[in-house]
Amino acid sequence: MSRLRDLVAAELSVSTPAPITAFAEHLATIFPDARAVLFYGSILRTGDLSGVLDYYVLTENPPKGWRGFFTRILWPDVSYHELSHGGEVLRAKVASMTLSQFRKAAGGGDYDTTIWARFVQPCALIWAADGARETVIDAVTDACRTAARYAQALGPVGGAPQDLWTALFQETYKAELRVEKAGREVSILTFDPGRYDRVMQAVQADQGGVLGEGERTRVRKAWTPRRLLGKPLNAARLMKASFTFQGAARYAAWKIERHTGVAVEVTPWRERHPILAAPGVLLKVWKSRRRA
């Protein structure tokens, strides 16, 4: 029996508010071959439904056609969705990839850091097809185990769990092409510090204690190519997303209105060509704000 897997299974079974659950069940109906829907991110902690909900949809197969070709190389696909629920409009940014890709990435089987660095954080498995739940539990358990091993190797020798997790998140933020406010890892860890202590203790119990010096050295060496390739991988994904992000125009229009107060009409042309439409939209926003 794995102490870590038991902890992960309990976390993934946490109940979520009805709107979040309804959106997950809706996504399961619109993604072909959906196997599981995971909910994660800051709203899982805060419950603030006015922002954008974050989901991962895991499928049996990649999309068909040219989109599937790129997905096999650079996962995940990203899309934006809206759902009316209880008289309110809910908004979600959805990443999707196959369940097999997710499990490989969670176990550290390639040079990507994004999956295991995110899913060592709390998440909820809201919907799963028959036979998929146990596979997802195994994958998230692998993500926690992978992250904890790197935390032990990159953090101070003999450090407390909070020191190890802090070192890990600082290193992964530096390896990824993301803009995070200073101290972002503090806000993540201080929300429920006991939870991260329990994860580290469960990993160490499963592995028979803390990492020895030889294993620390091996894991640190494994980190080097992941640190060097992190930003190029993220840049390639951003380039892919600029052409494949479904719903990008609606997402951008909502973000612009939320942050500037300027309403942007999403015309069919703008929906089909968000990149070409961007200069005209930005000009409109600039003129509107100048008049205001």
Side-chain angles (χ1 to χ4, degrees):
M1 296 294 293
S2 167
R3 178 175 165 185
L4 177 63
R5 192 181 190 280
D6 291 343
L7 187 156
V8 168
E11 280 196 348
L12 288 175
S13 299
V14 67
S15 61
T16 52
I20 293 173
T21 301
F23 213 139
E25 293 171 346
H26 169 68
L27 293 173
T29 67
I30 64 176
F31 278 79
D33 300 324
R35 300 291 292 159
V37 181
L38 286 156
F39 181 69
Y40 72 107
S42 61
I43 294 177
L44 184 63
R45 301 191 298 270
T46 66
D48 179 12
L49 299 179
S50 66
V52 177
L53 310 178
D54 290 305
Y55 293 93
Y56 253 81
V57 176
L58 307 178
T59 63
E60 183 69 26
N61 300 298
K64 296 180 180 178
W66 65 270
R67 191 180 299 276
F69 171 78
F70 286 108
T71 303
R72 288 183 176 88
I73 301 171
L74 287 172
W75 42 259
D77 289 337
V78 182
S79 54
Y80 171 74
H81 301 265
E82 295 179 352
L83 178 70
S84 294
H85 181 82
E88 300 290 334
V89 177
L90 303 174
R91 298 169 177 84
K93 187 170 64 173
V94 180
S96 59
M97 59 195 295
T98 69
L99 180 53
S100 61
Q101 288 172 326
F102 181 78
R103 184 164 189 187
K104 180 180 178 182
D110 52 32
Y111 293 116
D112 177 80
T113 64
T114 58
I115 297 299
W116 52 259
R118 280 157 182 74
F119 286 94
V120 69
Q121 301 172 47
C123 58
L125 176 56
I126 299 179
W127 178 89
D130 291 342
R133 178 170 294 274
E134 297 304 311
T135 303
V136 175
I137 293 173
D138 287 339
V140 177
T141 301
D142 288 343
C144 293
R145 185 175 293 113
T146 302
R149 287 175 66 80
Y150 279 111
Q152 292 174 82
L154 299 173
V157 176
Q162 291 295 300
D163 296 329
L164 300 178
W165 291 123
T166 297
L168 175 76
F169 287 127
Q170 288 175 343
E171 290 298 320
T172 56
Y173 290 156
K174 287 189 290 186
E176 297 177 16
L177 197 63
R178 293 200 297 163
V179 179
E180 294 288 352
K181 295 180 181 178
R184 168 65 172 164
E185 70 282 354
V186 175
S187 65
I188 292 174
L189 294 171
T190 55
F191 181 80
D192 186 1
R195 181 262 177 190
Y196 288 92
D197 288 352
R198 291 190 295 274
V199 171
M200 183 62 72
Q201 291 161 3
V203 169
Q204 292 176 342
D206 285 352
Q207 71 187 16
V210 301
L211 290 187
E213 185 55 37
E215 187 65 7
R216 275 176 52 87
T217 299
R218 188 191 71 79
V219 177
R220 288 178 69 89
K221 287 181 179 178
W223 173 249
T224 299
R226 287 160 175 79
R227 174 177 58 81
L228 295 175
L229 293 172
K231 284 185 172 63
L233 274 172
N234 284 184
R237 287 185 175 123
L238 286 173
M239 290 178 62
K240 175 203 167 194
S242 67
F243 295 99
T244 63
F245 190 150
Q246 294 179 302
R250 286 177 290 123
Y251 178 64
W254 175 78
K255 291 281 283 187
I256 289 170
E257 184 169 6
R258 180 179 174 89
H259 291 288
T260 69
V262 178
V264 175
E265 181 185 4
V266 181
T267 65
W269 189 84
R270 286 174 175 170
E271 183 80 32
R272 291 193 304 270
H273 309 287
I275 296 175
L276 295 176
V281 170
L282 293 175
L283 179 61
K284 176 188 175 180
V285 171
W286 178 76
K287 287 181 177 179
S288 296
R289 289 175 65 85
R290 188 178 182 185
R291 285 195 299 269

